C-alpha cells in the first residue's frame, strides 16, 4: 500500500497522515489474510516514517523486530566541479 492507492495526489503525499493511512491499509490487508506476526523493516527519513511505525504498533499484529534499513552513503558520489564566475 502507498499514498497513491489511498487516494492522495500531489504534494499531500509526503504528509505524516498519509503515511499513517497507507500503513493502516497495508495492515488491514494482511490481517484479513490471517497474518498475526510480522517483522518490520523501515526505509527512509522524515515524519512519515514515525507516523507509519506508530500505526503499525497500534495494530493487532505482534512485531518480532523493527529494523531501520535506510541506505547510508559511505562516501557518496563525487561532488560537481567548482563554479567559475
Amino acid at each position: 500500500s502507498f499514498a497513491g492507492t489511498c487516494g492522495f495526489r500531489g504534494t499531500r503525499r509526503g504528509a505524516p497522515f498519509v503515511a499513517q493511512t497507507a500503513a493502516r491499509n497495508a495492515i488491514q490487508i494482511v490481517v484479513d489474510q490471517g497474518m498475526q506476526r510480522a517483522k518490520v523493516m523501515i526505509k527512509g527519513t522524515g515524519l512519515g516514517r514515525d507516523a507509519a511505525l506508530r500505526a503499525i504498533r497500534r495494530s493487532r499484529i505482534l512485531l518480532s523486530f523493527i529494523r531501520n534499513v535506510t541506505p547510508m552513503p559511505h562516501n557518496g558520489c563525487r561532488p560537481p566541479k567548482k563554479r567559475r564566475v
Side-chain angles (χ1 to χ4, degrees):
S1 180
F2 52 93
T5 60
C6 296
F8 295 98
R9 295 286 176 210
T11 58
R12 292 189 303 166
R13 295 196 313 189
F17 172 72
V18 180
Q20 185 177 356
T21 306
R24 207 178 303 138
N25 283 354
I27 291 165
Q28 189 62 42
I29 291 169
V30 297
V31 166
D32 291 343
Q33 293 177 356
M35 183 181 282
Q36 297 171 353
R37 293 174 183 255
K39 297 176 181 178
V40 177
M41 291 184 273
I42 296 180
K43 184 188 289 188
T45 59
L47 299 172
R49 177 178 79 173
D50 299 331
L53 183 58
R54 269 187 248 117
I56 293 169
R57 285 205 169 178
R58 275 186 269 151
S59 68
R60 300 178 299 217
I61 296 177
L62 297 172
L63 299 179
S64 304
F65 71 89
I66 300 169
R67 180 176 291 167
N68 182 12
V69 292
T70 304
M72 295 291 289
H74 291 284
N75 195 11
C77 300
R78 182 176 175 166
K81 63 182 184 179
K82 297 289 184 193
R83 184 169 174 255
R84 287 182 285 192
V85 180

